[in-house]
Amino acid sequence: MTNVIETTGLVKDFGKVRALDGLDLSVARGEVHGFLGPNGAGKTTTIRVLLGLLHADAGKATLLGGDPWNDAVALHRTIAYVPGDVELWPNLTGGEAIDLLGRLRGGLDMARRDEFVERFDLDPTKKGRTYSKGNRQKVALISALASDAELLLLDEPTAGLDPLMEAVFQEVIRDMKAEGRTVLLSSHILAQVEVLADRISIIRLGKVVESGTLKDLRHLTRTTFTVETARPADAISQLPGVFNYELTDGQARFDVDAEHVGLVVEALAALGVRAITSRPPTLEQLLLRHYGDEMTGHSGERAEVAR
Amino acid sequence: MTATAPARGGGTLAGTGSLVRLMLRRDRVKLPSWILGISLFWLYYTRLVPKAYPTRSDLDAIVSMMGGAAGRMWTGPTYFLDNMTYETFIPAAYGGYLILVIVLMSILLMVRHTRVEEQTGRAELVRASVVGRHAPLTAALMVALIANAAVAVLVALMMIADPVFSTGGSLLFAAGCFATGIAFAGLTAVIVQVAEYSRTATSLAAGLGLGGAFLIKGLGDMGHEHGTLLSWFSPMAWPQQTAPFVLDRWWPLAFSLAFAVVTIALGYALSARRDVGAGLIAPRAGRARAAGWLGTPIGLAWRLERRAILWWALGLGFLGMAMGAFAERAVPGEMPEALLQVLGGAENITAGYLAYMGIFMATIVAVYAVLAMQGLRAEEAGGRGEPVLASAVSRWSWLGASVLVGAAGVVIIMAVAGAATGLGAASALGDNSLIWDVTAAHLNHAPPVLVVLGVAALLFGLLPRATGAAWAVVVYGFMVGTFGALMELPDVAFDLSPFEHAARMPLEEFELAPIVVLLAVAGFLTVAGLVGFRRRDLDIT
């Protein structure tokens, strides 16, 4: 499998602030790659470097075999991009913006365009200034998806979409994958990426800290349980893979490593469960657990780096 | 500067006092700047005129230019003709412009504190707290009242302190400023209910409201030296019809106050009939698909600029027509020496005047050129350039298309302004060949404007955040062009201004060499800007 995106040691400084600090990222052809990180970690900066909008201070980036800075225009014919904050021209309608951006990329499939306008339930006759954030995002998405681009760079594409539209989005991305396209999907919410991505790279403070399939990253995930049991649940705290056990007002609360969940559930059943909730870990929890010591003191400063 | 809340005990006015304080706090730099700026502007004119036209014959000469129909169109009724003094002349000649600026302050203030707040959603936050339905509008009107009162008091004090002006007339003149400011605050209170977007509201209030009132007054005043019935339909005419220092009549201000009362009442009535954030005119739907030509960088640049080009061409066409018609007044014997010098001497004063118009227009169109590049900078900073440059559009073609469309705009606006000036002059002097001559003269001054465009493009390419520094070239050119001859500046000061190189047609013959050099400079600057832009990061704020 060839890599569509390959960066090694990418560095980008904005004044005194280091936005990218030796970023290594590789995305294989035909995969949906989740690009996961908290706000301000450097996701948008990475994508802008890949688009040749920013020039990296050091390191090397290869995109579809070309150089993102020097071969920008040629590469862009085969790339579709959806920015995180979509800004539209106030006096152009959504329909005009879709067509304009599509044509500037080298043409778009009008049948698909109309299909997506329908599926995303967008009114294309409204002026750009009247759209909500979610609708502006739909405009950029439709324009990107209706192209025949090989590579889709999507920067938090569903941030403003309602759950119904997010479901449509997930469907469309699966179709894209079935057609053999490559998708780089950035997000700061693990659950959003989990359902779509074949592989995930986690970025923190301008570096990729974890990369692999979801299975590879299982060791990172730890589920939080809250249970109320008929018999005292203290024995649970002795099981392997159980952490942070707390008992308050008869409610037990603890974290379990993914590989030990089965065992814990069996043990709980024997105790007579009255109520149970389980919550997958958030990205923030996850990063905090693995890098907690380093993050304190840096995260605030990093978060200020504009995306 | 706080106002007491009139609505203790709640009701639709609850919270007005706090809102007034909030608005004054938010405007703590802007409003004092407006008030002081306007007052200083007036102080400058009242003190400058007696110095610039020191003798009686100077004054008579300038009045002979301003006393005609074209002059009245721009200044107002000429009640002072029977009793010509600085006291009667200055308010009549320049007072209209003072009021124009005051009205502009009122309009922007009202839109800023009503419609902008609703559009950004901040009004929702405010209205959700203990704030009555009518409180925001009331508070905005009270701030307008405070601002206009402050200007009026300063104007009155400055004039009373000046031995030239009598106290009674000064008070009347200041009251006219106040009443007109309030009248337009009232008009804006209506308009912000109607339009959903602040830009639409500002355009309607400033363009249709103020522009329309100025036009009606101008057309009305052209007809007779004391104005005609038509003049009375314009709120801008009422303060001038008080004829301060001549007739000193107060009653025309009753129209201004009645206008204010009616519009404010209408504003309240309309605001009670709509939801927060909504307007009374629904925004129009547009086309669902882009036109065939909207698919290239040039197409996009043209789409973004065409409306500005149209309005500039219309506005300067109108201005040119009036200034061209002025040409008949450009007679050597009747002109102050200072003015003669600017127009290039007495031998051929008409040609000199028309040649000067070309340079004058070029400096104004240079404003458009800088605004066009600042528009592109706004596209970049606002994040609208990013998706375009992420498509198959190179840096060169994005910036290049904008420069090209900007250059086309400059040529179009100069051609329209020139043709209109020529038309005005031709009809005033009865010489049709002037239409072509003056158009050609204006086009001859397009290359210096392109140099300004090039400077702005260079700044955009190298130091995007400093694109606005190109204003310095425009201001410098304007200063040298208007005061350079009077100040007897050295040649090098003139050479530094791009506007001083093209031949002064129709006074002089066309010269190719300076045009070639100017175009080469403009081209070089643009290419340097393109190279710089290709090498820098996109700067999105």
Side-chain angles (χ1 to χ4, degrees), chain A residues 12 48 52-55 69 73 76 81 87-89 91 93 95-96 99-100 103-104 110 113-114 125 130, chain B residues 197 285-291 294 300 303 379 382 384 386 389-392 394-395 534 536-538:
Chain A
K12 180 67 193 175
R48 283 182 180 158
L53 300 175
L54 299 178
H55 195 275
W69 183 260
V73 174
H76 291 176
Y81 167 55
E87 295 297 334
L88 297 176
W89 297 277
N91 54 353
T93 64
E96 285 180 300
D99 293 354
L100 170 69
R103 288 173 189 166
L104 290 175
M110 289 310 273
R113 172 222 193 255
D114 292 343
T125 64
T130 69
Chain B
Y197 293 99
R287 40 196 310 157
R289 287 168 192 274
L294 184 59
L300 172 61
R303 174 64 204 258
E379 287 283 295
R384 292 181 296 275
E386 187 189 13
L389 288 168
S391 72
S394 68
R395 300 282 185 99
R534 176 67 186 87
R536 74 168 169 87
D537 282 347
L538 205 61

Side-chain angles (χ1 to χ4, degrees), chain B residues 128-367:
Chain B
S129 61
V130 188
V131 164
R133 178 159 12 100
H134 290 314
L137 183 58
T138 311
L141 283 166
M142 290 182 78
V143 172
L145 208 74
I146 293 168
N148 279 290
V151 171
V153 167
L154 283 173
V155 165
L157 288 177
M158 284 183 325
M159 290 175 81
I160 291 169
D162 190 330
V164 165
F165 301 102
S166 67
T167 304
S170 302
L171 288 176
L172 174 58
F173 180 76
C177 296
F178 174 78
T180 315
I182 295 302
F184 276 90
L187 180 69
T188 315
V190 175
I191 287 172
V192 293
Q193 312 304 327
V194 176
E196 193 167 332
Y197 293 99
S198 58
R199 269 180 68 172
T200 318
T202 309
S203 315
L204 278 175
L208 216 61
L210 178 56
F214 198 80
L215 182 67
I216 291 171
K217 174 183 81 96
L219 294 175
D221 290 348
M222 273 177 98
H224 186 268
E225 56 187 62
H226 291 170
T228 57
L229 182 63
L230 179 64
S231 312
W232 288 87
F233 284 94
S234 166
M236 288 296 284
W238 299 328
Q240 293 192 322
Q241 290 298 341
T242 61
F245 307 102
V246 183
L247 301 177
D248 272 342
R249 50 184 185 189
W250 284 76
W251 59 264
L253 294 186
F255 285 99
S256 309
L257 292 179
F259 185 84
V261 168
V262 170
T263 47
I264 289 171
L266 187 60
Y268 278 115
L270 291 176
S271 97
R273 284 164 181 270
R274 64 181 189 87
D275 297 332
V276 176
L280 289 169
I281 302 176
R284 267 181 307 154
R287 40 196 310 157
R289 287 168 192 274
W293 53 265
L294 184 59
T296 60
I298 292 263
L300 172 61
W302 171 249
R303 174 64 204 258
L304 296 179
E305 276 303 304
R306 65 178 183 186
R307 192 179 296 185
I309 294 172
L310 176 77
W311 283 110
W312 273 87
L314 272 176
L316 291 190
F318 184 66
L319 181 68
M321 196 94 85
M323 298 216 299
F326 236 62
E328 74 175 311
R329 296 265 153 189
V331 183
E334 298 182 357
M335 204 164 270
E337 185 56 31
L339 210 57
L340 260 182
Q341 249 180 304
V342 175
L343 301 184
E347 289 107 69
N348 194 343
I349 190 71
T350 310
Y353 174 79
L354 291 174
Y356 177 70
M357 282 304 104
I359 298 180
F360 177 73
M361 280 293 182
T363 14
I364 298 184
V365 178
V367 170

Side-chain angles (χ1 to χ4, degrees), chain A residues 41 57 59 112 124 143 151 155 185 244 297:
Chain A
D57 295 320
R112 285 174 73 119
S143 185
L151 171 63
D155 192 2
L185 181 62
N244 307 329

Side-chain angles (χ1 to χ4, degrees), chain A residues 34-80:
Chain A
F35 193 36
L36 204 55
N39 290 326
K43 300 188 294 291
T44 301
T45 304
T46 307
I47 292 177
R48 283 182 180 158
V49 168
L50 291 175
L51 283 165
L53 300 175
L54 299 178
H55 195 275
D57 295 320
K60 189 172 159 46
T62 315
L63 198 72
L64 296 160
D67 177 79
W69 183 260
N70 292 319
D71 311 328
V73 174
L75 288 174
H76 291 176
R77 284 186 224 286
T78 54
I79 299 174

